Amino acid sequence: MKMSFHRIGYQDLDVCNAVSIDVIEDAVGRTNLVPGAKAIDIGCGNGGVSARLASRFGLAVEAVELDPAMAELARERTAGTSVAVREAQAGPVVEAGAPWDLIVCMGATNPTGLGLLDPAPTLTHLQDRLRPGGWLLWGDLTWMREPATPLRQIWELSGHYADDAGWRAAAEAAGLEIVWARLSSQAEFDAFSDGMVTTVRDWLAANPDHPDHRAVAGRCDQMAMMLDFARGVMGFGLYLLRRPI
């Protein structure tokens, strides 16, 4: 099995972001969606959120993950549930199943499949794939204070992030109602990021002869450095957004 930093670091997490599964349940519970409602989890990671959406709320969930190793992990995590895991680019899957009752997108790279970098066009594209009155649970890295230019350039190679005011402005520009929002605490963000690095370093120590050891070690050192530089500057924002009827 091919291993990667995220495949190892995410394996035992309930959520592949700096937010607890209880907070996710609280957010989704506010939608009052009925069992059988159509949901898609874009960039589902280890499948933990997808599994909970199906088991706790009875939603019909499609989970999309491009990384083969992560998709394999998601299939393991959702075994025995009604979740359908698809190893694919998110864009065509989102398009084919629209309109959705709920779109979950937390920390996904290129969730539209169009290579959009800025928040407002991305949210606009996703809200157009919701039914009127449908819901978007959006979560992403959030600048807690203005980052130094090099730090921003490193983290934003695949997409642009915003501060809380920026995410809210992007949602409003997309025509979405902001129903609920939450920012991670520094302790939550540190526990998530430090926990990932520790898990991967433990794996490296236990698997010195694994063929992917060198690549994983290099990525681990890189991520540890980036997260250390971002400490106190970066957090995680979660937003429950609704397309007006």
Side-chain angles (χ1 to χ4, degrees):
M1 176 189 300
K2 184 171 179 59
M3 302 300 285
S4 67
F5 174 86
H6 287 99
R7 171 66 174 78
I8 300 163
Y10 285 169
Q11 182 164 341
D12 297 325
L13 298 177
D14 289 324
V15 186
C16 300
N17 290 287
V19 60
S20 73
I21 195 66
D22 292 339
V23 170
I24 300 294
E25 283 197 11
D26 177 41
V28 176
R30 295 167 186 265
T31 67
N32 292 317
L33 288 170
V34 300
K38 288 174 51 180
I40 185 166
D41 187 2
I42 300 174
C44 69
N46 67 11
V49 171
S50 298
R52 190 63 62 93
L53 292 176
S55 63
R56 171 68 176 81
F57 299 100
L59 304 184
V61 183
E62 290 198 45
V64 187
E65 176 57 55
L66 182 59
D67 185 312
M70 293 306 300
E72 180 182 12
L73 184 57
R75 282 190 287 269
E76 294 173 3
R77 191 68 169 269
T78 59
T81 74
S82 60
V83 176
V85 177
R86 299 184 183 277
E87 183 183 322
Q89 287 277 2
V93 181
V94 173
E95 199 70 34
W100 298 92
D101 297 305
L102 171 67
I103 295 175
V104 175
C105 185
M106 296 190 296
T109 301
N110 193 20
T112 67
L114 301 175
L116 302 175
L117 296 179
D118 293 329
T122 299
L123 294 180
T124 298
H125 181 89
L126 294 177
Q127 77 92 23
D128 286 342
R129 275 73 192 167
L130 291 169
R131 65 164 173 81
W135 300 87
L136 170 60
L137 184 60
W138 173 268
D140 215 334
L141 295 174
T142 301
W143 297 119
M144 306 304 285
R145 59 185 175 87
E146 183 61 27
T149 299
L151 180 62
R152 182 187 287 276
Q153 289 174 336
I154 291 170
W155 277 99
E156 295 191 340
L157 289 173
S158 59
H160 295 169
Y161 302 121
D163 58 10
D164 179 56
W167 285 127
R168 290 173 180 270
E172 291 172 353
L176 290 158
E177 299 172 358
I178 303 170
V179 176
W180 174 92
R182 185 182 185 277
L183 296 177
S184 63
S185 68
Q186 187 63 54
E188 287 172 320
F189 194 81
D190 289 347
F192 168 70
S193 56
D194 292 346
M196 274 198 306
V197 172
T198 297
T199 297
V200 175
R201 284 179 172 161
D202 287 346
W203 181 90
L204 289 167
N207 296 273
D209 299 322
H210 194 283
D212 295 320
H213 185 279
R214 183 175 180 180
V216 172
R219 182 59 171 162
C220 185
D221 288 343
Q222 181 187 50
M223 288 298 299
M225 179 183 65
M226 291 170 61
L227 289 164
D228 189 53
F229 282 138
R231 197 176 304 274
V233 180
M234 178 173 280
F236 187 81
L238 187 66
Y239 301 86
L240 181 62
L241 310 172
R242 186 171 185 260
R243 179 178 180 174
I245 297 175

